[in-house]
Amino acid sequence: MDNYDAIVVGAGFSGLYMLHRLREAGLSARVYEVGDNVGGVWYWNRYPGARCDVESIYYNFTFSKELLQEWTWTSRYAEQPEILAYLNHVADRFDLRRDIQFDTRVVSAHYIEAAGKWRVETNDGRVAMAKYFISGVGCLSTSSTPRFEGLDTFGGEQYHTGTWPHEPVSFEGKRVGVIGTGSSGVQAIPQVARQAAHLYVFQRTAQYSTPAANRPYDREYVEGIKANYPAIREQVLKSWGGTTTRPRGDRCAFEDTEAERRNRYEQAWKEGGWMHGLYKDLVTDPRANETVGEFIRGKIREIVKAPEIAAKLAPTYLYGVKRPVMDTGYFETYNRDNVTLVDVKADPIVKITPTGLRTRDADYPLDAIIFATGYDAMTGALFRIDIRGKDGVSLRDKWSNGERIRTYLGLATAGFPNMFTITGPESPSVLSNMVWSIEQHVEWIDACIRHMEVNRIAVIEAKPQAEEAWSRHCHEVADATLFPKGDSWYNGSNVEGKKMSFPIYLAGISVYREICDRVAANGYDGFQQA
Ligand code: NA7
């Protein structure tokens, strides 16, 4: 049996940096990774058009000045291959691969109270023990394919955007169906349309998408950013979401006249990016929210030539309640002759057939189906591992019982000693710049572990009262916004039978960081230590 100080699951941004910090602290660590290389979501998401929607200059580690200086992003929103190349560079530069076991899935992690250690079993039948068990599994890493009747009978090619093949895929001359119009579908659809003989888009919910306005970075701009990074970092740390791209507005929507609002929205549409930060009440007041929703619907009507297609593409729910999307030529794609939009709310998918897809009203013969149907988000990857804490209690049961998940700071959960969750539920996670949130969590966990090692503390565990108070606070903050008021992967309503309360801390990364720092400064307040 192998013994380590720490076991980390996943070799994406989280696992790589965690491993680096553990080694710097002089601890032995093992990372297990299902893929055959590093990268996490950026390893798996290779679909056409896959790119980040956080600006590149903020989508990198900041812990190493040298790393910051030597890496140069080539465009405003980096494409998947470039981000994957960056993560490979990080792995090589810090010589991380030697402590990563690839092609290995962690199947169970059980806390053995008598030993004060985690017993971790992998799919190769091996067992390892470690004092610390750290999850870097990511929030969006377990892809979800709805259980359509006849799914296995389809004779053509099938893909999921989240597990795309490594070999090139050509849709040249093929009839292709894309199911799903979230970020992945919206990025893939314009690219697939350019290749396919005919593309059928099966849309269940219309999407608020705004232009990304991606552009190549010129060298001068990037050099300027690099020279100025300490100051930029200071600004980002004070921000809500982890970038300075579009600071949260300080005015309410109706403090401006209709013409002023329109100007502001027009300007933002031209600049590219999300729009929910333009006024401070867009995510709290439904009437304010409606102004931006109607602006985007107007844009769709302007872009899409056929009014009946534009009407189908017009979303009606609150803007931002589902993860807003950024695109490059998405709505324009519906002006192409080889693209058909099928509204599957009006005409539901009945089954997948050997030759295509059947809705209630029609048969669609297809050579390939792309499932852009998203993820079992936030908890899916954790629940795939049989994680059991004290008294054999499973994490799945703990978090599925009751009306909400309970964590302390999104970093730990009572009953699961010495276990940490990087960007876990009830932290800012997916509603922040993930890389900065990962960096903050890894550094907090690293400091906590060092504190334990220096002070010879064997066990640290969140107190139930502390996690109850945190969880309630997290939900109170969310309930003051519109975010929990819709169906989205944020609250699990995209996965049949899931549905959970809204598990993301919305007070912003600067407030959150202060709280975490205060907990540490107060000797890890809210944790019991022995
Ligand atoms: P999303 O955003 O969850 O999108 C999934 C899409 O698939 C969405 O349009 C869903 O419609 C649709 N869907 C899911 N199940 C079905 C069924 N049964 N029938 C028809 N359509 C369905 O996943 P993405 O991969 O696009 O993006 C995930 C995140 O990755 C993204 O937000 C970024 O943070 C990065 P629905 O809206 O549920 O009606």
Side-chain angles (χ1 to χ4, degrees):
M1 193 186 305
D2 298 317
N3 269 288
Y4 304 101
D5 292 315
I7 285 177
V8 180
V9 193
F13 272 99
S14 302
L16 291 177
Y17 186 35
M18 193 72 246
L19 172 60
H20 176 61
R21 292 300 286 226
L22 289 164
R23 285 209 320 218
E24 294 281 291
L27 300 184
S28 64
R30 192 74 170 162
V31 175
Y32 295 111
E33 165 57 53
V34 177
D36 67 9
N37 209 335
V38 299
V41 291
W42 297 108
Y43 169 91
W44 297 104
N45 276 262
R46 294 165 189 251
Y47 60 86
R51 68 168 77 238
C52 189
D53 49 19
V54 170
E55 288 197 52
S56 311
I57 50 161
Y58 306 109
Y59 203 72
N60 45 219
F61 289 123
T62 63
F63 68 85
S64 157
K65 279 195 207 89
E66 296 75 24
L67 176 62
L68 262 175
Q69 291 305 320
E70 71 203 16
W71 188 263
T72 302
W73 296 109
T74 61
S75 69
R76 183 183 186 192
Y77 297 106
E79 280 183 289
Q80 175 270 339
E82 193 173 5
I83 303 172
L84 188 59
Y86 172 75
L87 287 165
N88 274 279
H89 172 68
V90 170
D92 293 333
R93 191 187 193 291
F94 297 100
D95 186 22
L96 299 175
R97 291 177 206 278
R98 65 185 154 89
D99 288 320
I100 306 173
Q101 187 175 319
F102 293 106
D103 297 307
T104 307
R105 180 179 288 285
V106 171
V107 288
S108 70
H110 294 177
Y111 183 66
I112 312 295
E113 205 162 352
K117 288 195 170 180
W118 284 88
R119 180 187 186 278
V120 174
E121 197 171 339
T122 46
N123 64 342
D124 52 5
R126 295 181 62 152
V127 171
M129 301 290 288
K131 179 173 172 184
Y132 303 105
F133 178 65
I134 305 170
S135 157
V137 296
C139 303
L140 289 154
S141 49
T142 302
S143 62
S144 158
T145 304
R147 279 174 260 133
F148 292 112
E149 193 189 325
L151 193 58
D152 299 335
T153 66
F154 183 57
E157 302 159 36
Q158 277 190 43
Y159 305 98
H160 191 288
T161 47
T163 48
W164 200 261
H166 289 203
E167 308 72 46
V169 176
S170 169
F171 295 110
E172 217 63 62
K174 293 179 185 161
R175 297 160 303 178
V176 183
V178 173
I179 305 177
T181 51
S183 299
S184 306
V186 165
Q187 288 185 335
I189 284 163
Q191 304 246 351
V192 176
R194 264 182 247 138
Q195 275 189 28
H198 202 94
L199 172 65
Y200 297 89
V201 176
F202 298 94
Q203 169 194 278
R204 186 164 71 180
T205 308
Q207 188 62 257
Y208 284 111
S209 186
T210 51
N214 190 32
R215 57 165 191 273
Y217 276 155
D218 60 60
R219 226 187 155 76
E220 226 168 66
Y221 173 77
V222 181
E223 293 308 326
I225 295 287
K226 284 184 184 182
N228 215 7
Y229 222 90
I232 291 174
R233 189 178 147 81
E234 281 311 302
Q235 261 181 297
V236 170
L237 290 179
K238 287 188 204 130
S239 72
W240 183 88
T243 74
T244 59
T245 304
R246 185 166 282 154
R248 297 234 124 184
D250 50 4
R251 297 169 66 73
C252 289
F254 293 109
E255 285 179 54
D256 276 354
T257 64
E258 199 179 333
E260 286 165 340
R261 268 198 312 278
R262 174 137 200 118
N263 273 345
R264 200 156 185 177
Y265 293 154
E266 283 287 358
Q267 183 65 26
W269 185 269
K270 259 190 233 115
E271 286 166 4
W274 293 311
M275 298 180 84
H276 52 319
L278 290 175
Y279 290 105
K280 68 178 179 190
D281 56 350
L282 290 184
V283 293
T284 53
D285 175 5
R287 281 181 56 242
N289 188 287
E290 172 59 18
T291 63
V292 70
E294 184 45 31
F295 174 82
I296 298 173
R297 287 192 290 274
K299 285 289 176 194
I300 298 170
R301 289 190 291 268
E302 272 170 33
I303 296 169
V304 179
K305 290 188 189 128
E308 67 286 2
I309 299 176
K312 283 188 201 169
L313 286 166
T316 49
Y317 53 90
L318 294 161
Y319 174 68
V321 162
K322 271 182 187 297
R323 167 73 150 63
V325 169
M326 273 183 222
D327 72 89
T328 305
Y330 174 65
F331 293 115
E332 289 81 349
T333 301
Y334 294 94
N335 292 330
R336 295 177 68 104
D337 293 337
N338 71 332
V339 175
T340 302
L341 177 67
V342 183
D343 174 358
V344 300
K345 240 181 206 151
D347 178 17
I349 298 173
V350 173
K351 67 192 293 197
I352 308 287
T353 67
T355 53
L357 184 151
R358 181 172 302 155
T359 62
R360 190 193 53 207
D361 299 341
D363 263 310
Y364 296 91
L366 299 171
D367 303 303
I369 301 179
I370 300 172
F371 293 92
T373 44
Y375 296 86
D376 183 353
M378 311 304 292
T379 54
L382 280 166
F383 287 175
R384 270 182 93 159
I385 306 170
D386 178 29
I387 300 176
R388 290 176 189 268
K390 290 197 305 198
D391 305 319
V393 171
S394 92
L395 186 69
R396 204 180 292 131
D397 287 346
K398 180 182 170 181
W399 283 358
S400 308
N401 291 337
E403 81 285 12
R404 58 183 145 85
I405 289 168
R406 278 181 180 72
T407 76
Y408 185 37
L409 305 170
L411 276 159
T413 189
F416 295 79
N418 295 1
M419 172 175 141
F420 300 101
T421 45
I422 303 171
T423 67
E426 301 185 339
S427 73
S429 71
V430 291
L431 277 163
S432 68
N433 171 359
M434 282 298 276
V435 181
W436 283 60
S437 286
I438 286 167
E439 217 172 42
Q440 184 239 338
H441 265 193
V442 168
E443 287 165 12
W444 190 95
I445 294 166
D446 171 44
C448 177
I449 288 177
R450 284 174 193 250
H451 155 83
M452 290 176 69
E453 295 301 306
V454 168
N455 295 297
R456 298 182 188 283
I457 296 165
V459 178
I460 194 164
E461 183 188 344
K463 291 180 183 164
Q465 317 84 285
E467 85 169 6
E468 180 57 32
W470 175 256
S471 181
R472 194 168 315 129
H473 169 60
C474 177
H475 283 81
E476 276 164 8
V477 173
D479 288 344
T481 73
L482 302 172
F483 281 100
K485 300 192 176 24
D487 288 342
S488 69
W489 56 256
Y490 296 141
N491 55 24
S493 42
N494 63 321
V495 173
E496 222 180 298
K498 190 172 175 189
K499 194 82 183 170
M500 58 189 171
S501 61
F502 188 86
I504 304 161
Y505 186 55
L506 289 179
I509 65 153
S510 57
V511 173
Y512 177 72
R513 181 181 285 261
E514 259 173 48
I515 295 170
C516 293
D517 287 351
R518 203 178 321 130
V519 166
N522 291 341
Y524 296 92
D525 209 10
F527 286 93
Q528 52 203 20
Q529 302 166 60

Tab-separated table of all heavy atoms in Angstrom, residues 190-217:
chain	number	residue	atom	x	y	z
A	190	PRO	N	-21.787	27.684	-34.884
A	190	PRO	CA	-21.326	28.404	-36.084
A	190	PRO	C	-20.234	27.651	-36.831
A	190	PRO	O	-20.155	27.706	-38.068
A	190	PRO	CB	-20.771	29.722	-35.518
A	190	PRO	CG	-21.410	29.873	-34.187
A	190	PRO	CD	-21.631	28.483	-33.656
A	191	GLN	N	-19.388	26.955	-36.095
A	191	GLN	CA	-18.266	26.240	-36.731
A	191	GLN	C	-18.762	24.998	-37.470
A	191	GLN	O	-18.336	24.714	-38.582
A	191	GLN	CB	-17.262	25.812	-35.661
A	191	GLN	CG	-16.774	26.969	-34.837
A	191	GLN	CD	-15.305	27.235	-35.052
A	191	GLN	OE1	-14.611	26.458	-35.682
A	191	GLN	NE2	-14.827	28.344	-34.533
A	192	VAL	N	-19.663	24.263	-36.834
A	192	VAL	CA	-20.185	23.043	-37.464
A	192	VAL	C	-20.999	23.428	-38.702
A	192	VAL	O	-20.942	22.762	-39.734
A	192	VAL	CB	-21.026	22.217	-36.463
A	192	VAL	CG1	-21.644	21.007	-37.142
A	192	VAL	CG2	-20.164	21.778	-35.279
A	193	ALA	N	-21.734	24.541	-38.604
A	193	ALA	CA	-22.580	24.975	-39.734
A	193	ALA	C	-21.740	25.217	-40.984
A	193	ALA	O	-22.192	25.003	-42.105
A	193	ALA	CB	-23.341	26.243	-39.363
A	194	ARG	N	-20.517	25.701	-40.777
A	194	ARG	CA	-19.647	25.996	-41.920
A	194	ARG	C	-19.198	24.739	-42.645
A	194	ARG	O	-18.839	24.777	-43.805
A	194	ARG	CB	-18.427	26.794	-41.457
A	194	ARG	CG	-18.658	28.270	-41.658
A	194	ARG	CD	-17.450	29.069	-41.250
A	194	ARG	NE	-17.820	29.840	-40.086
A	194	ARG	CZ	-17.078	30.017	-39.019
A	194	ARG	NH1	-15.900	29.458	-38.945
A	194	ARG	NH2	-17.513	30.752	-38.037
A	195	GLN	N	-19.220	23.600	-41.954
A	195	GLN	CA	-18.749	22.346	-42.551
A	195	GLN	C	-19.877	21.448	-43.046
A	195	GLN	O	-19.761	20.814	-44.077
A	195	GLN	CB	-18.029	21.530	-41.475
A	195	GLN	CG	-16.592	21.872	-41.281
A	195	GLN	CD	-15.956	20.829	-40.357
A	195	GLN	OE1	-16.380	19.681	-40.296
A	195	GLN	NE2	-14.941	21.252	-39.653
A	196	ALA	N	-20.925	21.383	-42.247
A	196	ALA	CA	-21.948	20.349	-42.477
A	196	ALA	C	-22.736	20.603	-43.757
A	196	ALA	O	-22.868	21.753	-44.209
A	196	ALA	CB	-22.903	20.327	-41.282
A	197	ALA	N	-23.259	19.512	-44.330
A	197	ALA	CA	-24.184	19.681	-45.456
A	197	ALA	C	-25.439	20.358	-44.922
A	197	ALA	O	-25.964	21.304	-45.517
A	197	ALA	CB	-24.528	18.314	-46.051
A	198	HIS	N	-25.922	19.853	-43.798
A	198	HIS	CA	-27.047	20.514	-43.146
A	198	HIS	C	-26.925	20.361	-41.633
A	198	HIS	O	-26.539	19.304	-41.140
A	198	HIS	CB	-28.391	19.935	-43.613
A	198	HIS	CG	-29.498	20.921	-43.370
A	198	HIS	ND1	-29.939	21.805	-44.326
A	198	HIS	CD2	-30.205	21.192	-42.247
A	198	HIS	CE1	-30.883	22.583	-43.813
A	198	HIS	NE2	-31.067	22.230	-42.548
A	199	LEU	N	-27.220	21.439	-40.925
A	199	LEU	CA	-27.164	21.408	-39.461
A	199	LEU	C	-28.567	21.647	-38.893
A	199	LEU	O	-29.240	22.618	-39.261
A	199	LEU	CB	-26.208	22.501	-38.950
A	199	LEU	CG	-26.198	22.704	-37.428
A	199	LEU	CD1	-25.675	21.465	-36.703
A	199	LEU	CD2	-25.347	23.921	-37.055
A	200	TYR	N	-28.987	20.742	-38.015
A	200	TYR	CA	-30.254	20.907	-37.291
A	200	TYR	C	-29.902	21.234	-35.852
A	200	TYR	O	-29.185	20.466	-35.195
A	200	TYR	CB	-31.074	19.617	-37.333
A	200	TYR	CG	-31.487	19.225	-38.731
A	200	TYR	CD1	-30.665	18.418	-39.516
A	200	TYR	CD2	-32.690	19.697	-39.275
A	200	TYR	CE1	-31.027	18.080	-40.812
A	200	TYR	CE2	-33.062	19.355	-40.574
A	200	TYR	CZ	-32.226	18.551	-41.329
A	200	TYR	OH	-32.588	18.224	-42.615
A	201	VAL	N	-30.390	22.364	-35.367
A	201	VAL	CA	-30.140	22.720	-33.965
A	201	VAL	C	-31.414	22.442	-33.177
A	201	VAL	O	-32.479	23.001	-33.482
A	201	VAL	CB	-29.735	24.209	-33.824
A	201	VAL	CG1	-29.572	24.563	-32.347
A	201	VAL	CG2	-28.464	24.500	-34.597
A	202	PHE	N	-31.300	21.568	-32.181
A	202	PHE	CA	-32.455	21.227	-31.345
A	202	PHE	C	-32.357	22.055	-30.066
A	202	PHE	O	-31.552	21.779	-29.185
A	202	PHE	CB	-32.472	19.723	-31.065
A	202	PHE	CG	-32.602	18.907	-32.330
A	202	PHE	CD1	-31.477	18.408	-32.989
A	202	PHE	CD2	-33.854	18.688	-32.905
A	202	PHE	CE1	-31.592	17.690	-34.173
A	202	PHE	CE2	-33.980	17.969	-34.096
A	202	PHE	CZ	-32.845	17.472	-34.735
A	203	GLN	N	-33.164	23.097	-30.016
A	203	GLN	CA	-33.080	24.062	-28.923
A	203	GLN	C	-34.236	23.872	-27.943
A	203	GLN	O	-35.390	23.883	-28.341
A	203	GLN	CB	-33.146	25.488	-29.495
A	203	GLN	CG	-33.327	26.573	-28.439
A	203	GLN	CD	-33.726	27.911	-29.011
A	203	GLN	OE1	-32.887	28.678	-29.471
A	203	GLN	NE2	-35.022	28.202	-29.011
A	204	ARG	N	-33.895	23.687	-26.669
A	204	ARG	CA	-34.971	23.598	-25.667
A	204	ARG	C	-35.240	24.972	-25.059
A	204	ARG	O	-36.381	25.390	-24.940
A	204	ARG	CB	-34.597	22.599	-24.570
A	204	ARG	CG	-35.726	22.371	-23.605
A	204	ARG	CD	-35.528	21.144	-22.774
A	204	ARG	NE	-34.452	21.298	-21.791
A	204	ARG	CZ	-34.094	20.328	-20.947
A	204	ARG	NH1	-34.714	19.154	-20.978
A	204	ARG	NH2	-33.123	20.528	-20.090
A	205	THR	N	-34.163	25.681	-24.691
A	205	THR	CA	-34.344	27.027	-24.130
A	205	THR	C	-33.490	27.998	-24.934
A	205	THR	O	-32.289	27.789	-25.094
A	205	THR	CB	-33.904	27.057	-22.648
A	205	THR	OG1	-34.558	25.999	-21.955
A	205	THR	CG2	-34.260	28.380	-21.997
A	206	ALA	N	-34.144	29.058	-25.405
A	206	ALA	CA	-33.396	30.066	-26.175
A	206	ALA	C	-32.341	30.703	-25.264
A	206	ALA	O	-32.494	30.724	-24.049
A	206	ALA	CB	-34.353	31.119	-26.698
A	207	GLN	N	-31.303	31.223	-25.885
A	207	GLN	CA	-30.124	31.640	-25.123
A	207	GLN	C	-29.868	33.141	-25.247
A	207	GLN	O	-29.906	33.677	-26.341
A	207	GLN	CB	-28.929	30.864	-25.702
A	207	GLN	CG	-27.670	30.995	-24.948
A	207	GLN	CD	-27.783	30.467	-23.535
A	207	GLN	OE1	-27.901	31.257	-22.598
A	207	GLN	NE2	-27.735	29.165	-23.356
A	208	TYR	N	-29.608	33.796	-24.091
A	208	TYR	CA	-29.112	35.175	-24.155
A	208	TYR	C	-27.629	35.095	-24.458
A	208	TYR	O	-26.840	34.710	-23.593
A	208	TYR	CB	-29.254	35.868	-22.803
A	208	TYR	CG	-30.645	36.301	-22.443
A	208	TYR	CD1	-31.332	35.677	-21.412
A	208	TYR	CD2	-31.246	37.373	-23.101
A	208	TYR	CE1	-32.599	36.097	-21.042
A	208	TYR	CE2	-32.522	37.791	-22.746
A	208	TYR	CZ	-33.189	37.149	-21.708
A	208	TYR	OH	-34.439	37.566	-21.353
A	209	SER	N	-27.252	35.435	-25.663
A	209	SER	CA	-25.834	35.415	-25.970
A	209	SER	C	-25.430	36.793	-26.473
A	209	SER	O	-26.181	37.441	-27.217
A	209	SER	CB	-25.541	34.351	-27.033
A	209	SER	OG	-24.157	34.253	-27.221
A	210	THR	N	-24.273	37.246	-26.041
A	210	THR	CA	-23.761	38.544	-26.484
A	210	THR	C	-22.424	38.318	-27.194
A	210	THR	O	-21.761	37.313	-26.945
A	210	THR	CB	-23.573	39.495	-25.271
A	210	THR	OG1	-22.819	38.805	-24.275
A	210	THR	CG2	-24.903	39.903	-24.689
A	211	PRO	N	-22.033	39.230	-28.087
A	211	PRO	CA	-20.793	38.990	-28.835
A	211	PRO	C	-19.583	38.948	-27.915
A	211	PRO	O	-19.492	39.719	-26.958
A	211	PRO	CB	-20.691	40.200	-29.765
A	211	PRO	CG	-22.037	40.821	-29.769
A	211	PRO	CD	-22.690	40.492	-28.474
A	212	ALA	N	-18.662	38.033	-28.227
A	212	ALA	CA	-17.412	37.973	-27.472
A	212	ALA	C	-16.482	39.099	-27.933
A	212	ALA	O	-15.677	39.597	-27.166
A	212	ALA	CB	-16.737	36.625	-27.692
A	213	ALA	N	-16.639	39.492	-29.202
A	213	ALA	CA	-15.712	40.473	-29.797
A	213	ALA	C	-14.271	40.042	-29.552
A	213	ALA	O	-13.443	40.818	-29.058
A	213	ALA	CB	-15.968	41.884	-29.269
A	214	ASN	N	-14.023	38.794	-29.860
A	214	ASN	CA	-12.660	38.293	-29.698
A	214	ASN	C	-11.745	39.005	-30.700
A	214	ASN	O	-12.188	39.419	-31.769
A	214	ASN	CB	-12.634	36.786	-29.969
A	214	ASN	CG	-11.312	36.180	-29.582
A	214	ASN	OD1	-10.658	36.646	-28.638
A	214	ASN	ND2	-10.895	35.158	-30.289
A	215	ARG	N	-10.488	39.160	-30.335
A	215	ARG	CA	-9.524	39.782	-31.259
A	215	ARG	C	-8.124	39.322	-30.878
A	215	ARG	O	-7.877	38.972	-29.719
A	215	ARG	CB	-9.603	41.309	-31.192
A	215	ARG	CG	-9.384	41.843	-29.805
A	215	ARG	CD	-9.085	43.331	-29.746
A	215	ARG	NE	-8.648	43.665	-28.399
A	215	ARG	CZ	-9.466	43.971	-27.416
A	215	ARG	NH1	-10.762	44.033	-27.615
A	215	ARG	NH2	-8.985	44.242	-26.209
A	216	PRO	N	-7.235	39.295	-31.865
A	216	PRO	CA	-5.853	38.946	-31.506
A	216	PRO	C	-5.282	40.031	-30.596
A	216	PRO	O	-5.642	41.205	-30.732
A	216	PRO	CB	-5.124	38.940	-32.850
A	216	PRO	CG	-6.156	39.104	-33.900
A	216	PRO	CD	-7.399	39.627	-33.273
A	217	TYR	N	-4.458	39.632	-29.667
A	217	TYR	CA	-3.769	40.622	-28.827
A	217	TYR	C	-2.563	41.120	-29.604
A	217	TYR	O	-1.849	40.323	-30.214
A	217	TYR	CB	-3.232	39.944	-27.567
A	217	TYR	CG	-4.211	39.796	-26.417
A	217	TYR	CD1	-4.021	38.774	-25.473
A	217	TYR	CD2	-5.265	40.684	-26.219
A	217	TYR	CE1	-4.873	38.630	-24.389
A	217	TYR	CE2	-6.121	40.536	-25.131
A	217	TYR	CZ	-5.917	39.514	-24.221
A	217	TYR	OH	-6.751	39.380	-23.144
